[in-house]
Amino acid sequence: MDRFLEMQTFVGVVDAGSFVKAADTLNLSKAAVSRYVVDLETRLGVRLLHRTTRRLSLTEEGQVFHARSKALLTGLEEAEAEITSRSDLVSGLLRLSVPVTFGVLHLAPLWGLFKAQHPKLRLDITLSDRVVDLVEDGYDLAVRIGRLESSTLVSRQLSSTRLVLCASPAYLAAHGTPTHPAELAGHAVIAYSYWSGRDEWSFDGPQGELRVSTQPCIRTNSGDTCRAAALAHQGVILQPAFLVGPDLAAGTLVELMPQYRAGELGIYAVYPTRQHLSAKVRRLIDFLVVQLAGRGPTW
């Protein structure tokens, strides 16, 4: 058992890039992590890691041992996942990264239901609009909204949401209602920092695609802040329907130029690999598909 813990700890340190991060991931003290690695090096009679105050690096022997250990641990996880997948019970830690607003409005109400279905699972949910590195940061799965760029990651679409151009009735009464996207150049615009086009907004209208340049009076990396500014009559926003849908229904925001479509964004579950997909991640993806599928038209 100690040999297994030594191997698991060594791989954890290498993958995490530090003893402190590995201790958090493995739920061990830093002293225990250090002891396991030292005991492993002593038993093997070789140095596996170069340690400095700034970083860790593998020796030549460490590279070989890490590759072999990783393969053995992966094989063990696959064997356990295969057996567990035949049972209704899944267990262990599931680390997730989800967007802030979507996570609060639409995912937060689901976690209790998922946990009730799988009581032995432990959920670690981080809300962030930053695009995390799943492998480097140690996440099992991320929910992402947008047009996915090609990568080595695997994705499954859960739903979609349309982008809505809108403003408050009071703002429109004071500044006029635009009838063509080109008129946005003369309006106060509240911009979302993470849009790939930044200040250039794209629309698909009766005459085809057109792009317009905007001059934001407010720029923010928070969709909630964009919405709040629009509700305070500060300007025009382009935000997903899952965020502004209730405001449109209540009349506190008004959709502009519906004949010019700003497009749809996919809502995806993203995970590192299909080959070694664990039962707990598979269960979560299937759960989210069921819960979110069909909501797209209302978003």
Side-chain angles (χ1 to χ4, degrees):
M1 180 60 73
D2 286 346
R3 294 176 66 181
F4 173 78
L5 286 174
E6 289 171 359
M7 181 187 301
Q8 185 182 45
T9 303
F10 169 69
V11 170
V13 169
V14 174
D15 291 350
S18 77
F19 283 82
V20 173
K21 290 181 180 178
D24 291 338
T25 302
L26 298 170
N27 198 25
L28 296 171
S29 68
K30 183 178 179 295
V33 170
S34 299
R35 186 179 69 252
Y36 279 126
V37 174
V38 169
D39 289 348
L40 175 61
E41 290 179 321
T42 301
R43 183 168 58 80
L44 297 176
V46 296
R47 179 177 288 276
L48 300 174
L49 289 168
H50 293 302
R51 305 162 176 81
T52 69
T53 56
R54 290 179 175 267
R55 62 189 295 268
L56 298 175
S57 61
L58 288 166
T59 64
E60 184 177 350
E61 293 82 3
Q63 292 175 358
V64 173
F65 192 76
H66 177 261
R68 292 292 185 89
S69 299
K70 188 85 169 179
L72 287 171
L73 291 172
T74 298
L76 177 60
E77 290 177 358
E78 290 176 348
E80 291 179 344
E82 182 176 351
I83 298 302
T84 303
S85 65
R86 304 185 185 196
S87 167
D88 289 335
L89 294 177
V90 289
S91 61
L93 176 65
L94 195 53
R95 296 195 69 224
L96 314 173
S97 172
V98 303
V100 177
T101 301
F102 189 76
V104 171
L105 293 179
H106 300 287
L107 295 179
L110 302 180
W111 300 132
L113 177 59
F114 181 68
K115 188 70 174 62
Q117 294 177 2
H118 305 288
K120 291 191 175 183
L121 271 179
R122 292 178 292 121
L123 301 180
D124 183 344
I125 304 163
T126 299
L127 276 71
S128 173
D129 290 329
R130 181 177 68 90
V131 178
V132 300
D133 185 315
L134 296 186
V135 176
E136 183 175 330
D137 295 334
Y139 288 100
D140 297 294
L141 179 144
V143 174
R144 290 182 180 166
I145 302 174
R147 301 175 179 93
L148 294 183
E149 298 179 0
S150 59
S151 72
T152 58
L153 300 176
V154 183
S155 64
R156 182 172 176 183
Q157 187 163 353
L158 305 173
S159 188
S160 63
T161 182
R162 69 184 184 95
L163 290 172
V164 181
L165 188 72
C166 55
S168 72
Y171 171 84
L172 297 174
H175 301 280
T177 301
T179 58
H180 189 278
E183 297 174 28
L184 293 175
H187 279 268
V189 164
I190 302 154
Y192 181 59
S193 304
Y194 289 149
W195 289 147
S196 58
R198 294 283 288 180
D199 298 340
E200 187 177 70
W201 291 359
S202 299
F203 299 90
D204 188 8
Q207 286 76 45
E209 184 180 7
L210 68 155
R211 299 174 182 272
V212 297
S213 295
T214 63
Q215 298 294 326
C217 62
I218 299 175
R219 188 192 309 281
T220 174
N221 66 350
S222 164
D224 292 297
T225 300
C226 290
R227 170 181 173 267
L231 289 171
H233 324 305
Q234 296 304 303
V236 178
I237 61 172
L238 182 63
Q239 284 295 309
F242 73 75
L243 174 61
V244 298
D247 303 308
L248 298 174
T252 51
L253 292 178
V254 177
E255 182 172 4
L256 305 175
M257 300 178 283
Q259 69 273 28
Y260 292 95
R261 305 284 291 182
E264 287 193 351
L265 302 176
I267 302 172
Y268 300 91
V270 179
Y271 43 101
T273 175
R274 180 180 289 110
Q275 183 178 2
H276 305 307
L277 187 62
S278 65
K280 59 188 178 183
V281 174
R282 186 180 297 109
R283 294 289 176 83
L284 176 60
I285 294 171
D286 291 342
F287 171 82
L288 291 176
V289 167
V290 171
Q291 295 296 321
L292 299 180
R295 293 198 190 184
T298 65
W299 284 345

